[in-house]
Amino acid sequence: MPGKGARAHWRREREPSCQTLACLKVGKMELGVVAVVSAVAWVVHWNTLAADFAYDDSRAIKTNQDLLPSTPLSNLFRDDFWGTPLIHSGSHKSYRPLCVFSFRINFWLGGFDPWGYHLVNVLLHALVSGLFTHLAAGVFLQHSLPTMVAGLLFAVHPIHTEAVAGVVGRADVGACLFFLLALQAYVQYCKWRDKEPEYCGRRWMALYGALGLATGAMLTKEHGITVLGVCAVYDVLIQHRLTPRDIPSLLVEKRYQGLREGLLHLVGAAIVLVGFRVHLMGRKPPDFAPADNPAADSDSFVTRTLTFLYLPAFNFWLLLCPLWLSFDWSMEAVPLVCSIFDPRNLVTLCFYGGLIYTFLFVHRHLPRRGAPSESAFSLVGSTNTCTCQTLNQSPKLSFYSNHSGPAQRHKKFTPILNNNNNNHAFIQSTCNGHRVSNGTCNAPPPVCQPTICYSASDCCECAVTCSYRLDAVILSLAFLVLPFIPATNLFFYVGFVIAERVLYIPSVGFCLLVGLGLEQLYKYQESSRRRKALICTMVILLVLFSVRTFRRNLDWRTEESLYRSGIHINPPKAYGNLANILSAQGKKTKAEWAYRKALTYRSNMADVHYNLGILLQEQGRFEEALQSYKVAIQFRPRLAMAHLNMGLVLGILGRKEEAIEVYRHCAQLDSAGLKDPKKHESTKISALFNLGRLYADEGKYHEAIDVYQEAMHKMPDHYQPQSLYNMLGMDTVYPFYLTIINHSHCTTC
């Protein structure tokens, strides 16, 4: 009876070639997996369609003038994500015109109905999940198990809830879409670049298409530009298998001409895009409140360093175990690491130790000398999917198999030069960079188990296995590390501690690693029972993640449920925002309790003091309201709304002179560096009109006319005249105000 190896070799000789039936089946398998993953992504997130606008959605959509048809489209390219001009000192400097443009299309189709905005988010996530599954199929050489696991994990991962359920998370989902498309285009460019001359036109189309898609990723969200780095990693480490020793030859040798061409375009595009971004941002970086990023505000170098080193480890833990999620991680949600004796430093050491080990693993298993060749990943999707003769080619040497059966299994191969006509000849002298001697693939575990090469297909199979595992690790690291670099505070401070939506693109690398790890565990299990247990464990994990995501989506349906869900993570922020919702619902007693509860955690929150003052003012508790406004101004001297309302309360209490002084001071407040300068300027105009109203009540009509004219002269373009009429109301000043308006128009004419 022939041995198992001989039977496998006999079957391989009789299998159809890749140009016919086999590759067609592979394509159908991939299409089915992509369809399943996209459908699961839709089903898990469909319950967000009934959600309302929550948290940052209100400022990005409801109060963003750039969504209105009356606003010129050119403003989208001059304003930041929140509608503030980029040149303003208080701008957030978040430049995402393509995302804002999609919001504008939503507004054109359905106004401020949140259903349409959430529908687009869910559709985009389903599309990105399918596109990622297609990428995973290429990385895993169409192996169904790791492809399905990676795709489903990405589709249902709870860390994506904020990016999908929160409308402003569209920036991350859209950037990921452009990100994956740009990488696929660059992979296609690398394949056509090394082909025959007839592919010259196609290769340039693919290259500039990749650069254009990378630009789209950056214009959707800033960290989308890191796709250029991922493309460079692919070209250098996956397509060419370069090591540091090959860098000198990269600059001069002809075989690296294509690589030099690709890298020059990537570096040039990066310089242009970064220069454009810096030019728009201006010389001064955005200012963030200390509560947004407490570590950046710390005076201790040790505290800043230890905390910034710990935060990436904490983000990775959220990918591993997304049990604790929150709409906001600012303030003391993640306590600062102030000492080297903090136990969390052990987590930091383990995280960076594992990362360094993985980098060393990649470096150790790269070939000793780089050679321009196609990776296993680059072959997927072409007509050569089932062949690997171009992997690590060495056309100068080939081997001929003299064996005729299992009895000859360990017989040495006889080298035959340039004999490419025999079906048993194989043209590789390396197995993923490891020498093949005496018919044995000497690649060490865990990359490739030593295998006796009975024929070309045997050694080729070993080479492909070695290659695609290494490709998967390299690409996973590139996705995990590069898109996350802008959030590490290494080059500039950011306005958040942790943002779950920022992990949307890095989770691509995490899901690839999980898929690869599961496949390796599955292969090394000899018992079928253990394999079934492994599959059942993965299925249970995916179900648990799906349930967690589905339930987390319910937290995002209303602002009240969202803020209640964040109490155990960020109590001061959650209680303060929850109190606003309760106050709007008329639950004044509960709202006051929530405001005071928030202040017990953090007493210097000016917004909470101001909102508490509004609540007390509505209840007629003017002295208490006045005290709340004073405390709010103490912690934030340029809080114009607190000045305005304090003037109103002073006027009600009959302290006219104090009210006049407060109104005058409010009208002179500087808006430099404020996050919402438009609202600030509108409040200053309201202070002037209230001052004029106060003069009119006292019969000082000439002073009132002067103040009204000053207000009309300083009125910004975005100030709506209707708000003026609502403020004045139908009181005794209204007829006099109309006279003033007509008089001012006549004098102007």
Side-chain angles (χ1 to χ4, degrees):
M1 291 292 294
K4 185 182 296 185
R7 290 198 301 270
H9 170 60
W10 182 84
R11 284 195 302 269
R12 283 194 295 268
E13 287 184 334
R14 286 155 180 79
E15 287 177 352
S17 64
C18 283
Q19 288 86 352
T20 57
L21 183 60
C23 289
L24 182 61
K25 291 182 179 179
V26 165
K28 287 184 177 180
M29 183 279 297
E30 178 186 340
L31 183 61
V33 173
V34 169
V36 169
V37 170
S38 299
V40 169
W42 168 265
V43 170
V44 171
H45 293 277
W46 73 268
N47 58 339
T48 65
L49 298 181
D52 200 354
F53 294 122
Y55 199 40
D56 289 335
D57 296 346
S58 296
R59 185 182 171 196
I61 297 173
K62 287 186 175 181
T63 62
N64 193 344
Q65 299 292 323
D66 289 343
L67 271 64
L68 303 179
S70 58
T71 304
L73 281 175
S74 58
N75 281 25
L76 272 64
F77 297 92
R78 293 198 298 263
D79 297 345
D80 65 14
F81 187 57
W82 314 101
T84 304
L86 284 166
I87 59 175
H88 192 276
S89 58
S91 172
H92 197 271
K93 308 298 183 182
S94 50
Y95 188 65
R96 305 161 193 174
L98 290 185
C99 184
V100 178
F101 181 69
S102 70
F103 292 157
R104 183 159 177 156
I105 294 178
N106 269 125
F107 179 82
W108 178 65
L109 293 175
F112 288 124
D113 183 5
W115 185 87
Y117 295 84
H118 289 291
L119 175 64
V120 173
N121 274 30
V122 177
L123 289 175
L124 282 176
H125 177 62
L127 179 60
V128 171
S129 298
L131 190 60
F132 164 70
T133 306
H134 171 67
L135 173 71
V139 173
F140 297 127
L141 298 184
Q142 305 289 340
H143 294 180
S144 58
L145 177 62
T147 301
M148 177 70 79
V149 169
L152 289 176
L153 182 60
F154 184 86
V156 304
H157 203 295
I159 204 68
H160 298 158
T161 305
E162 181 180 4
V164 181
V167 178
V168 296
R170 185 182 302 179
D172 296 88
V173 182
C176 188
L177 176 64
F178 284 110
F179 200 108
L180 295 175
L181 289 174
L183 178 60
Q184 293 281 11
Y186 193 82
V187 170
Q188 190 65 48
Y189 155 74
C190 291
K191 290 163 60 177
W192 283 338
R193 180 185 62 196
D194 301 327
K195 296 288 185 179
E196 298 298 327
E198 63 264 18
Y199 290 96
C200 180
R202 296 184 182 181
R203 95 177 187 209
W204 291 115
M205 185 183 303
L207 175 59
Y208 289 109
L211 299 182
L213 290 168
T215 303
M218 190 198 75
L219 294 180
T220 306
K221 192 167 185 179
E222 295 80 357
H223 67 311
I225 193 176
T226 56
V227 68
L228 298 175
V230 176
C231 291
V233 168
Y234 168 80
D235 208 351
V236 173
L237 298 180
I238 296 179
Q239 183 73 8
H240 283 80
R241 296 279 194 261
L242 249 65
T243 63
R245 297 181 180 180
D246 299 314
I247 293 179
S249 58
L250 169 64
L251 302 176
V252 293
E253 293 190 13
K254 185 177 180 181
R255 58 176 175 164
Y256 294 123
Q257 181 178 356
L259 177 58
R260 289 195 297 270
E261 174 187 282
L263 292 181
L264 285 175
H265 279 83
L266 293 176
V267 172
I271 292 174
V272 171
L273 292 178
V274 171
F276 173 72
R277 185 68 179 85
V278 172
H279 172 73
L280 290 175
M281 181 183 296
R283 297 181 180 180
K284 185 179 179 181
D287 295 326
F288 300 110
D292 294 336
N293 193 341
D297 190 63
S298 175
D299 296 329
S300 172
F301 174 78
V302 174
T303 299
R304 292 198 306 270
T305 302
L306 294 179
T307 304
F308 288 150
L309 289 176
Y310 170 71
L311 289 178
F314 188 82
N315 278 275
F316 189 76
W317 173 251
L318 288 179
L319 289 173
L320 283 172
C321 183
L323 182 60
W324 300 281
L325 301 176
S326 176
F327 69 96
D328 192 288
W329 290 86
S330 62
M331 301 180 182
E332 291 83 20
V334 181
L336 300 180
V337 184
C338 301
S339 171
I340 59 175
F341 300 105
D342 192 309
R344 289 175 293 174
N345 290 321
L346 296 177
V347 178
T348 303
L349 290 175
C350 292
F351 171 74
Y352 288 102
L355 198 61
I356 292 173
Y357 174 81
T358 308
F359 278 115
L360 293 177
F361 169 86
V362 171
H363 181 267
R364 184 171 65 250
H365 291 94
L366 284 173
R368 298 186 179 224
R369 294 191 62 190
S373 61
E374 290 188 82
S375 67
F377 171 37
S378 67
L379 289 173
V380 175
S382 66
T383 57
N384 297 322
T385 307
C386 301
T387 64
C388 58
Q389 294 180 352
T390 57
L391 284 166
N392 301 319
Q393 285 190 14
S394 179
K396 297 180 181 180
L397 183 65
S398 60
F399 293 85
Y400 179 73
S401 173
N402 293 322
H403 77 279
S404 58
Q408 305 290 335
R409 174 169 297 184
H410 298 287
K411 189 172 182 178
K412 294 184 179 180
F413 290 92
T414 303
I416 299 178
L417 295 179
N418 299 326
N419 185 2
N420 295 326
N421 296 323
N422 194 293
N423 291 331
H424 297 285
F426 61 99
I427 59 176
Q428 297 181 346
S429 62
T430 62
C431 183
N432 194 33
H434 303 284
R435 295 293 302 176
V436 177
S437 60
N438 297 328
T440 302
C441 175
N442 293 323
V447 177
C448 182
Q449 294 292 339
T451 304
I452 296 177
C453 301
Y454 306 122
S455 66
S457 57
D458 284 337
C459 187
C460 182
E461 181 179 354
C462 175
V464 171
T465 303
C466 297
S467 178
Y468 100 82
R469 292 177 187 172
L470 191 61
D471 293 350
V473 173
I474 293 173
L475 200 64
S476 299
L477 288 177
F479 269 102
L480 268 173
V481 175
L482 294 180
F484 188 74
I485 286 179
T488 59
N489 294 275
L490 294 177
F491 302 102
F492 49 83
Y493 293 141
V494 296
F496 56 85
V497 178
I498 290 174
E500 296 165 13
R501 59 184 178 273
V502 174
L503 296 175
Y504 192 86
I505 296 179
S507 65
V508 169
F510 174 78
C511 295
L512 288 176
L513 283 178
V514 172
L516 178 64
L518 179 70
E519 185 194 33
Q520 299 311 305
L521 288 175
Y522 184 84
K523 284 184 176 180
Y524 287 119
Q525 300 301 321
E526 298 179 356
S527 170
S528 60
R529 181 177 300 177
R530 292 183 179 180
R531 290 188 172 186
K532 292 179 181 179
L534 186 64
I535 296 299
C536 290
T537 301
M538 196 65 211
V539 170
I540 293 174
L541 179 64
L542 291 174
V543 171
L544 291 176
F545 272 31
S546 301
V547 173
R548 173 66 173 136
T549 300
F550 193 86
R551 294 187 61 181
R552 179 60 179 165
N553 288 336
L554 298 178
D555 293 337
W556 282 85
R557 296 192 73 170
T558 63
E559 288 194 305
E560 181 179 353
S561 60
L562 179 63
Y563 299 145
R564 289 187 183 277
S565 69
I567 289 177
H568 65 290
I569 299 292
N570 193 345
K573 195 69 170 284
Y575 276 121
N577 289 337
L578 177 61
N580 295 335
I581 303 302
L582 295 175
S583 178
Q585 295 174 353
K587 303 174 183 178
K588 304 299 182 180
T589 303
K590 293 183 178 180
E592 181 179 352
W593 175 86
Y595 282 133
R596 299 193 185 279
K597 186 70 173 178
L599 293 174
T600 60
Y601 288 96
R602 191 179 180 89
S603 61
N604 63 345
M605 293 190 294
D607 288 335
V608 176
H609 283 290
Y610 164 73
N611 291 326
L612 177 59
I614 292 290
L615 179 64
L616 296 172
Q617 182 179 345
E618 291 175 350
Q619 295 177 340
R621 300 156 65 180
F622 298 116
E623 290 293 345
E624 295 178 73
L626 187 62
Q627 184 61 30
S628 293
Y629 293 142
K630 288 181 178 179
V631 176
I633 293 172
Q634 176 185 347
F635 291 121
R636 193 184 301 172
R638 290 189 294 165
L639 185 55
M641 291 296 296
H643 287 86
L644 174 62
N645 283 276
M646 188 168 68
L648 291 172
V649 172
L650 289 171
I652 294 173
L653 294 175
R655 298 155 66 173
K656 306 293 186 181
E657 295 300 325
E658 294 182 56
I660 292 174
E661 183 179 352
V662 170
Y663 285 140
R664 276 296 179 188
H665 180 69
C666 180
Q668 297 172 0
L669 291 174
D670 186 16
S671 63
L674 298 180
K675 290 184 178 180
D676 196 350
K678 291 183 178 180
K679 184 177 182 180
H680 181 83
E681 295 295 333
S682 298
T683 304
K684 291 167 60 176
I685 299 302
S686 298
L688 287 175
F689 277 111
N690 277 281
L691 177 59
R693 179 179 178 178
L694 187 61
Y695 281 136
D697 288 341
E698 294 183 343
K700 300 178 181 180
Y701 299 114
H702 292 289
E703 289 85 346
I705 292 174
D706 293 338
V707 171
Y708 285 136
Q709 288 180 337
E710 178 185 354
M712 295 174 64
H713 177 72
K714 295 181 178 180
M715 186 183 298
D717 295 336
H718 63 269
Y719 192 91
Q720 299 296 326
Q722 292 81 0
S723 62
L724 169 62
Y725 294 104
N726 292 333
M727 183 195 68
L728 291 176
M730 300 299 295
D731 56 13
T732 56
V733 182
Y734 185 73
F736 176 71
Y737 171 69
L738 293 180
T739 304
I740 294 174
I741 295 293
N742 294 330
H743 175 71
S744 63
H745 281 298
C746 291
T747 55
T748 304
C749 296

